[in-house]
């Protein structure tokens, strides 16, 4: 059985600012990764990860899960 739940986040102002900063970092990282993929003609997730993972974590301060998700979504786009 699959259960679907709708949740509304009610962050504090500080949490909202942190969420916004994280989303902005993910967006910037995805744009950069897209450029790398185009420049190196890389279309597969693992190949793009080899070129971008370390830089995404270092430059934008994203955690491992967020960095991997950015790369995967970039390949999907």
């Amino acid at each position: 059985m699959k259960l679907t739940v709708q949740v509304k986040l009610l962050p504090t102002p500080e949490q909202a600012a942190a969420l916004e900063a994280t989303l902005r970092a993910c967006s910037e990282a995805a744009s950069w990764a897209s450029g790398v993929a185009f420049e190196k003609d890389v279309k597969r997730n693992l190949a793009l990860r080899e070129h971008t993972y370390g830089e995404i974590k270092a430059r934008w301060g994203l955690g491992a899960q967020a960095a991997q998700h950015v790369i995967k979504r970039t390949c999907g786009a």
Side-chain angles (χ1 to χ4, degrees), residues 5 12 15 22 28 32 37-38 45 47 53 58 60 70 75:
V5 178
T12 65
Q15 292 170 329
T22 301
E28 290 174 7
W32 176 78
F38 181 76
N45 186 10
Y53 178 76
W60 286 279
V70 163
C75 284

Side-chain angles (χ1 to χ4, degrees), residues 1-3 11-12 15-16 20-21 24 28-30 33 38 43 48 53-54 61 63-64 70:
M1 176 191 334
K2 198 175 210 182
L3 180 64
T12 65
Q15 292 170 329
E20 187 177 328
R24 189 176 303 115
E28 290 174 7
F38 181 76
K43 295 173 180 67
L48 183 58
Y53 178 76
V70 163

Side-chain angles (χ1 to χ4, degrees), residues 27-54:
S27 178
E28 290 174 7
S31 293
W32 176 78
S34 177
V36 171
F38 181 76
E39 176 184 308
K40 299 191 180 291
D41 194 31
V42 175
K43 295 173 180 67
R44 302 187 74 197
N45 186 10
L46 186 58
L48 183 58
R49 188 175 299 162
E50 291 173 2
H51 294 291
T52 59
Y53 178 76

